[in-house]
Amino acid sequence: MNPSDLKYSKEHEWVRIEPGGAALIGITAFAAEQLGDVVYLDLPSVGTELKQFGKLGEVESVKAVSEVYAPISGRVIGRNEEAIAHPELVNSEPYGRGWFLRVAVKERGELDNLLSAQEYEEFLAAEV
Amino acid sequence: MTKARLLYCLCLKEAILLEAMNERKDDLKRTPLFEAHVTLGARLVPFAGWEMPLQYTSILDEARAVRTRCGIFDISHMGRVIFTGSGAASFLHSILTADVLGLQVGRARYSLVCNEEGGIIDDTLVYRWSMDRFMLVPNAANTPAVLKWVSLWISDHPDAQFQEVTHEYSMIAFQGPDAINILEKLCPISISSLRPFGCIEAQVSGRDVLLSRTGYTGEDGVELILSREHAAHLWGLLIERGAKPCGLGARDVLRLEAGLLLHGSDMDVSINPFEAGLERFVKANEEGFIAGRALAAIRVQGVSKRLVGFDLAGRNIPRHGYPILDGQKQIGGVTSGGYSPTLDKNIGLGYVPQRYSTLGSQFQIDIRGRVADAMVAHLPFYSRLRGA
């Protein structure tokens, strides 16, 4: 199930606003399942400015490569080095230890451009 | 993530492109194990006109299971063609690179089907069940081309007949270090005494099977050909005894680690066996062999490009179609590539000019605009005898 406290993009990324106001970014369980075994995360370095819906990096799995887009604008303030070292975490815990980046959010209002968990599930049901 | 990129798959590119056009799904053939795959929750994809399991759980877990214990693969999609008659041996000798006349009863051999120019129509296994009875196992995608080639030449051999029996039989590969032990408990005869590439008619769990000590994974194991109605029984039984169901994804990972080529990716009709590094499967005597003259000439002249295996620096995966560079200049292309779970590094196959083909030669791979260093490696990348 997709956690209800997150916001989702139609490109299958999620955002979680942390108590301090920063955002965590990752890819959804659906995306991870579609990719299959993830073997490489190509993520931007700390300090990079992300633009909402702009390309942020790539995920490689055994059978596919996929671009990942930023669900929200902001500056990268942290990368999940554990997931970079152990990309299988993206498959096993896409909403937990498999997160990608921590971002200093530029514009909270951009969250309105994203889907709620329920809207995302409806989107998936219509799409797939 | 964009759907188009998500579905972009390399070694199984045909499968995934078809997946994107799923309106054609109705035309797909299903193996006798289709229901079993659905029950196991397999992800099914179109492959060479068949609806086949890509993976059941995880491609990497399935590949690791075969390296450490054992796994089973439904390979019923591969073609099966029986050749009979007093002229069957000389006919097969005329279309295959193997010395079929010298093939002993109870032996199988890896062989290529080449055209008059020496181009590789397909790679197959040929089994000799008796003096006058053979079986050929072409790739699923190439079975029509092989049958066409057979039909074209068999009239020169009036004492040879052939019959395609792909749909009458099922085929299961049982591979891994535990496979032989498990099988022996289900079988009245000794399997461990069967030599590699030996083949025998046997009974497994009371069912007649054509059994060969062959495979496409680099592990010990067998391939079993059996009547389609017995397939589900044997499949279920082997899982019960500890075999992990494995899909085409794991099969591709394992064959790449073992340095085994995939026709359609690593070679095709524009490539000859010397370029593909398969000259050891070409008989020296060109007599009575359709491709013999062309291949003898190529043997003398040499070839300008060679298939090599390479290790790649960095974490990006080399994939089919990526350019191979020397500095700014493109010198070749990647034909297969992937992450090797056994060796924990990225590996690939590709064609390069002869002078880049020696062990340790260096070049670069253009990975979607990023350049990664590669070095020619020993093939196979993985050998169970040598160890990883």
Side-chain angles (χ1 to χ4, degrees), chain B residues 54-127:
Chain B
L54 175 68
Q55 64 179 66
Y56 299 86
T57 53
S58 141
I59 291 175
L60 297 180
D61 285 351
E62 291 165 22
R64 287 186 189 108
V66 173
R67 289 274 179 257
T68 55
R69 299 181 304 278
C70 58
I72 42 172
F73 303 81
D74 179 11
I75 53 169
S76 304
H77 62 306
M78 299 192 76
R80 288 167 290 278
V81 189
I82 289 173
F83 293 83
T84 52
S86 57
S90 62
F91 169 68
L92 286 168
H93 192 86
S94 78
I95 64 161
L96 296 175
T97 57
D99 175 9
V100 180
L101 296 174
L103 182 62
Q104 290 171 18
V105 172
R107 302 286 300 159
R109 202 168 280 182
Y110 176 77
S111 186
L112 307 169
V113 182
C114 288
N115 65 19
E116 298 109 309
E117 285 84 47
I120 304 171
I121 296 170
D122 196 16
D123 64 338
T124 70
L125 277 192
V126 57
Y127 300 77

Side-chain angles (χ1 to χ4, degrees), chain A residues 10-13 27 31 33-37 39-40 42 58-69 84-85 87 127-128, chain B residues 1-3 5-10 16 19 43 54-55 57-61 249 253 315-317 319 322 338-339 367-368 370:
Chain A
K10 290 184 176 178
E11 302 285 0
H12 312 289
E13 292 91 12
I27 65 169
E33 201 216 311
Q34 287 293 303
L35 280 165
D37 301 75
V39 292
Y40 178 52
D42 184 11
E58 289 178 348
V59 191
E60 293 219 32
S61 72
V62 171
K63 72 186 183 81
V65 56
S66 181
E67 293 180 340
V68 182
Y69 300 95
I84 290 169
E127 179 90 331
V128 185
Chain B
M1 317 218 308
T2 57
K3 193 141 193 176
R5 291 296 293 279
L6 192 62
L7 294 174
Y8 182 54
C9 167
L10 293 116
I16 305 300
E19 186 174 50
R43 181 184 296 182
L54 175 68
Q55 64 179 66
T57 53
S58 141
I59 291 175
L60 297 180
D61 285 351
V253 167
R315 300 278 302 270
N316 280 112
I317 293 182
R319 300 185 192 260
Y322 288 4
Y339 170 69
I367 298 182
R368 302 183 300 281
R370 236 166 314 174

Side-chain angles (χ1 to χ4, degrees), chain B residues 37-259:
Chain B
H37 303 322
V38 172
T39 306
L40 288 165
R43 181 184 296 182
L44 294 155
V45 293
F47 181 78
W50 294 77
E51 195 167 4
M52 297 298 292
L54 175 68
Q55 64 179 66
Y56 299 86
T57 53
S58 141
I59 291 175
L60 297 180
D61 285 351
E62 291 165 22
R64 287 186 189 108
V66 173
R67 289 274 179 257
T68 55
R69 299 181 304 278
C70 58
I72 42 172
F73 303 81
D74 179 11
I75 53 169
S76 304
H77 62 306
M78 299 192 76
R80 288 167 290 278
V81 189
I82 289 173
F83 293 83
T84 52
S86 57
S90 62
F91 169 68
L92 286 168
H93 192 86
S94 78
I95 64 161
L96 296 175
T97 57
D99 175 9
V100 180
L101 296 174
L103 182 62
Q104 290 171 18
V105 172
R107 302 286 300 159
R109 202 168 280 182
Y110 176 77
S111 186
L112 307 169
V113 182
C114 288
N115 65 19
E116 298 109 309
E117 285 84 47
I120 304 171
I121 296 170
D122 196 16
D123 64 338
T124 70
L125 277 192
V126 57
Y127 300 77
R128 190 169 206 168
W129 297 107
S130 72
M131 283 310 285
D132 295 339
R133 187 176 179 84
F134 295 82
M135 189 182 273
L136 199 64
V137 176
N139 283 297
N142 294 329
T143 301
V146 169
L147 289 171
K148 200 172 154 196
W149 190 245
V150 164
S151 305
L152 188 64
W153 295 96
I154 202 161
S155 54
D156 295 350
H157 299 257
D159 297 322
Q161 296 85 41
F162 76 99
Q163 189 193 359
E164 190 200 353
V165 294
T166 306
H167 296 276
E168 282 82 341
Y169 290 91
S170 175
M171 196 164 176
I172 296 171
F174 183 29
Q175 305 275 298
D178 295 347
I180 300 294
N181 275 340
I182 291 173
L183 197 66
E184 290 222 294
K185 298 195 176 86
L186 300 169
C187 196
I189 59 160
S190 163
I191 306 298
S192 50
S193 59
L194 189 69
R195 285 188 296 152
F197 286 90
C199 61
I200 190 165
E201 296 179 49
Q203 285 213 323
V204 177
S205 181
R207 271 75 172 176
D208 290 332
V209 300
L210 300 173
L211 185 157
S212 59
R213 199 156 184 179
T214 53
Y216 192 51
T217 62
E219 290 306 319
D220 196 1
V222 295
E223 291 174 305
L224 306 165
I225 299 171
L226 71 164
S227 179
R228 61 178 294 131
E229 63 264 28
H230 299 322
H233 166 78
L234 193 58
W235 179 263
L237 185 62
L238 292 173
I239 292 173
E240 200 184 295
R241 298 295 170 98
K244 189 174 178 69
C246 299
L248 293 177
R251 189 167 159 83
D252 193 53
V253 167
L254 293 162
R255 69 91 194 167
L256 177 62
E257 289 184 340

